[in-house]
Amino acid sequence: MDKKESVIKELGINKPYLLYLGALDPRKGVEDIVDAYSMIEDKYDIQLVLAGSGEEWADNVLLPKIARLRCADDIIFTGYVSEEQKRALLSMAELFVFPSEYEGFGIPVLEAMACGVPVITTDISSLPEVGGDAAFYVSPHEPKELAEAIVRLLDDSGERRVLSEKGF
């Protein structure tokens, strides 16, 4: 097992996964990710990894939502991650999902693309400028649209490969 695989296992990840990396914050669209994941999790053997800090909001908002949606078994909260963990998470993810409603620049999108992971993000703020034609765009606050984008990319390895190559 290489170093990246070891890091992934230490975080409790044991399947292919979708990744969100950033603050657990309402404006980042994390609730939309959870809603979208709940729509697809029966069809795919895939985990959702939510990496970042914001435990109070997660405890008060996300965990009750996850309990209501009954999709807790394959959602992993990592909390804060080190740079080494971040690189491993990004480089081994199936998709990076970042439906933020506002970004000053969108560094997480660039970091994901630099690691070769296909990106789904929103079509507003600075994100289209950052992602260019190397990202798949959805509208903010549209979990169904986000779920459809996830399904489309999970089902189409060719499109994932194209986005990955353009991201580099």
Side-chain angles (χ1 to χ4, degrees):
M1 183 179 325
D2 74 10
K3 185 73 171 163
K4 290 177 187 174
E5 291 171 335
S6 176
V7 168
I8 296 305
K9 294 290 182 209
E10 287 171 11
L11 291 171
I13 302 166
N14 54 23
K15 297 179 185 179
Y17 60 93
L18 308 174
L19 176 64
Y20 166 81
L21 177 67
L24 300 179
D25 179 287
R27 73 178 175 85
K28 297 292 190 172
V30 183
E31 283 185 86
D32 293 339
I33 298 169
V34 169
D35 286 333
Y37 179 74
S38 75
M39 294 175 201
I40 65 135
E41 58 120 6
D42 288 345
K43 298 175 189 122
Y44 297 92
D45 191 24
I46 195 160
Q47 291 177 298
L48 172 59
V49 177
L50 302 173
S53 56
E55 291 78 12
E56 184 176 335
W57 181 75
D59 288 347
N60 293 329
V61 177
L62 285 181
L63 291 178
K65 175 185 271 288
I66 290 166
R68 280 191 312 277
L69 295 172
R70 298 182 181 168
C71 59
D73 291 345
D74 280 324
I75 297 179
I76 296 173
F77 289 88
T78 67
Y80 173 81
V81 293
S82 69
E83 285 298 314
E84 177 185 43
Q85 290 170 318
K86 179 171 45 170
R87 282 189 300 277
L89 283 167
L90 285 167
S91 65
M92 297 188 72
E94 295 296 310
L95 298 171
F96 181 69
V97 184
F98 197 73
S100 179
E101 68 183 53
Y102 176 78
E103 289 299 314
F105 184 71
I107 289 176
V109 169
L110 284 180
E111 289 176 321
M113 291 189 308
C115 289
V117 62
V119 172
I120 299 173
T121 191
T122 49
D123 58 3
I124 60 170
S125 188
S126 63
L127 295 166
E129 183 178 351
V130 171
D133 67 350
F136 192 99
Y137 297 98
V138 297
S139 303
H141 308 295
E142 295 291 340
K144 186 172 188 289
E145 185 180 342
L146 180 57
E148 290 167 354
I150 292 168
V151 166
R152 177 175 168 174
L153 291 180
L154 287 176
D155 287 348
D156 189 341
S157 61
E159 189 167 6
R160 284 196 318 272
R161 186 175 48 259
V162 166
L163 289 176
S164 178
E165 289 169 0
K166 285 182 177 182
F168 282 129

